Amino acid sequence: MTLSDKNFAFVMHCGEMGSRWGFNRTIGQMCGLLIITKEPMTANEIADALSISRGNVSMGIKELQSWRLIKVQHIPGDRKEYYAPAGSIWDMANRVFEERKKREIDPTLSLLRDNLLEPATNDDEKFAQQQMHEIHDLLETVTKWSSELQRLSPEQLQSLMKLGSGIGKVLDFKDKILKK
Amino acid sequence: MTLSDKNFAFVMHCGEMGSRWGFNRTIGQMCGLLIITKEPMTANEIADALSISRGNVSMGIKELQSWRLIKVQHIPGDRKEYYAPAGSIWDMANRVFEERKKREIDPTLSLLRDNLLEPATNDDEKFAQQQMHEIHDLLETVTKWSSELQRLSPEQLQSLMKLGSGIGKVLDFKDKILKK
DNA sequence: CTCAAGTTTCAATAAATAATGAAATTAATG
DNA sequence: CATTAATTTCATTATTTATTGAAACTTGAG
């Protein structure tokens, strides 16, 4: 199976973006490829489509699975494993977001908490702790919010997403109500 | 000037996280160092504190400036350039967020728009376009939201941040009002 | 204009990361 | 249980990315 020019361009772009999104070029390509391909693909098909080694595909699959972005499927009477995206685009975006939070925010939060437990022993440390405190609070707010978004029902999310510029108005509205 | 153990640990951690946050180890360290240091620092002081070459610092500064994370200051009668964070923690987080959006989302959005303008010429392309359409819509929503957040007043932001788990309730409330 | 302090650049080098492919492993089939 | 299709592993190699430091450049002061 060969990709059309347009689809190939998309897959290559996913590769370029791959490293920015948290994985590497090849894995970005694999992810893009599986997303735009209707039928599940075997590891060999992936290797062919992207002109990369079979071993590389195997490693990429492992990585994509650790991000919970792809799933394995079997076809009766066929020994091969078939790979497909593990959910909707929205699901996948959520996974990436979650995973990145885990890798980019959580470790820092943990370090900051430890650091802030011990009292500062001089002025330099005192100032540093003030700054760390701000970072800590910010990251904690982000964390709280992201878990909050996970908790919303799909309808609520829909509603929130469509809100757009309305968010300001809703906030003002809420404030008014609360003041009474 | 030497860093205390705790401050050193923080700076090193910023280094480890650096690559995840979009820049490299050294630049992460520089950023962390400038954040926890009360006084602006010269390039040489930075090089000393981190045990890296003067040239490396120069390149790091350029990069941090391109992210609009640091600013230059001058001390009268002193020829050297002094560097300091370009704003509050919140400002810096915003800059990183904005810059990452520019690097991670905007290029993809642009590619998808181009691709979706041309009609699909076969079934594979048709399916691919459906998927790309979903990605496009998702990214556009994210974009709209982030620019929306930028537009909110600091008080509204404060209010929104504190809302946390209340967001669901406010949404339900808003829906009820609108239905009437 | 000249000097010197300070900064930037960039070719060379070092370090980190990714990809290959052959060998080892696993697992379905008869 | 032997065969073989399929997958995984991992030492080696290739590629990419980061760092150094000397030379070039810039700029303020005399």
Side-chain angles (χ1 to χ4, degrees):
Chain A
M1 192 219 51
T2 326
L3 288 168
S4 76
D5 282 0
K6 278 160 64 181
N7 288 354
F8 184 75
F10 172 76
V11 170
M12 289 302 116
H13 177 86
C14 290
E16 307 301 326
M17 285 299 122
S19 49
R20 300 193 188 283
W21 280 89
F23 16 80
N24 68 31
R25 180 149 36 89
T26 306
I27 293 176
Q29 291 173 355
M30 288 178 57
C31 189
L33 178 64
L34 289 175
I35 286 174
I36 57 161
T37 304
K38 195 169 192 173
E39 302 302 325
M41 298 180 79
T42 65
N44 278 320
E45 285 170 346
I46 296 173
D48 280 357
L50 303 177
S51 312
I52 57 178
S53 73
R54 186 51 238 278
N56 202 358
V57 172
S58 185
M59 292 164 95
I61 285 168
K62 222 169 56 174
E63 178 77 4
L64 284 172
Q65 278 171 334
S66 89
W67 285 73
R68 292 175 303 151
L69 290 174
I70 61 173
K71 63 181 174 192
V72 188
Q73 285 182 343
H74 284 101
I75 293 184
D78 187 340
R79 222 154 136 165
K80 294 189 282 298
E81 317 222 84
Y82 287 79
Y83 300 96
S88 68
I89 297 294
W90 171 259
D91 289 333
M92 293 179 91
N94 251 311
R95 299 274 163 74
V96 171
F97 189 70
E98 232 178 282
E99 199 65 31
R100 285 177 77 170
K101 177 186 152 304
K102 208 184 293 170
R103 297 174 188 214
E104 298 174 8
I105 295 186
D106 294 354
T108 303
L109 214 35
S110 150
L111 176 109
L112 290 174
R113 266 198 260 276
D114 288 353
N115 202 315
L116 291 170
L117 281 178
E118 297 179 45
T121 61
N122 61 46
D123 275 7
D124 284 350
E125 286 196 352
K126 213 162 281 175
F127 178 80
Q129 279 204 342
Q130 281 169 24
Q131 295 292 80
M132 291 190 210
H133 209 285
E134 283 204 38
I135 299 174
H136 173 271
D137 289 355
L138 177 63
L139 295 185
E140 201 152 63
T141 304
V142 172
T143 298
K144 211 176 72 183
W145 262 86
S146 76
S147 74
E148 195 50 44
L149 288 181
Q150 305 273 340
R151 211 185 315 287
L152 289 181
S153 71
E155 297 78 44
Q156 286 180 314
L157 253 178
Q158 191 80 12
S159 166
L160 187 61
M161 284 299 148
K162 281 193 183 146
L163 207 49
S165 75
I167 187 69
K169 284 170 204 154
V170 172
L171 277 175
D172 292 343
F173 188 58
K174 179 206 125 232
D175 285 347
K176 262 185 222 151
I177 302 288
L178 288 184
K179 266 180 199 149
K180 280 183 186 169
Chain B
M1 192 218 50
T2 327
L3 288 167
S4 76
D5 282 1
K6 278 160 65 181
N7 288 354
F8 183 76
F10 172 76
V11 170
M12 289 302 115
H13 177 85
C14 290
E16 306 302 326
M17 285 299 121
S19 49
R20 299 194 189 283
W21 279 89
F23 16 79
N24 68 31
R25 180 152 36 89
T26 306
I27 293 176
Q29 291 174 354
M30 288 178 55
C31 190
L33 178 63
L34 289 174
I35 285 173
I36 58 162
T37 304
K38 195 168 191 173
E39 302 302 325
M41 297 180 79
T42 64
N44 278 321
E45 286 170 346
I46 296 172
D48 280 357
L50 302 177
S51 313
I52 58 178
S53 74
R54 186 50 238 277
N56 202 357
V57 172
S58 184
M59 293 167 96
I61 285 168
K62 222 168 57 174
E63 178 76 3
L64 284 172
Q65 280 172 332
S66 90
W67 285 73
R68 291 175 302 150
L69 289 175
I70 62 173
K71 63 180 175 192
V72 189
Q73 284 183 344
H74 283 101
I75 293 184
D78 188 341
R79 227 155 133 164
K80 295 189 282 299
E81 317 221 85
Y82 287 79
Y83 300 96
S88 67
I89 298 295
W90 170 261
D91 290 333
M92 294 180 90
N94 252 311
R95 298 274 162 73
V96 171
F97 189 71
E98 231 178 283
E99 199 65 30
R100 285 177 78 170
K101 177 187 153 301
K102 207 184 292 171
R103 297 172 189 215
E104 298 174 7
I105 296 186
D106 294 354
T108 303
L109 214 35
S110 147
L111 177 109
L112 290 175
R113 266 198 261 275
D114 288 354
N115 202 314
L116 291 170
L117 281 179
E118 298 177 43
T121 60
N122 61 46
D123 275 8
D124 284 350
E125 287 196 353
K126 212 163 281 174
F127 178 80
Q129 279 204 341
Q130 281 168 26
Q131 295 292 79
M132 292 190 209
H133 209 284
E134 282 205 37
I135 299 174
H136 174 270
D137 288 355
L138 178 63
L139 295 185
E140 201 152 63
T141 304
V142 172
T143 298
K144 211 176 71 183
W145 261 84
S146 75
S147 73
E148 194 51 45
L149 287 181
Q150 305 272 340
R151 212 184 316 285
L152 288 182
S153 72
E155 296 77 42
Q156 285 180 316
L157 253 177
Q158 191 80 12
S159 167
L160 186 62
M161 284 298 147
K162 282 194 182 145
L163 203 52
S165 75
I167 187 68
K169 285 169 204 155
V170 173
L171 278 175
D172 291 344
F173 190 57
K174 177 204 126 236
D175 285 348
K176 261 184 224 152
I177 303 288
L178 289 184
K179 265 180 201 147
K180 280 184 188 168

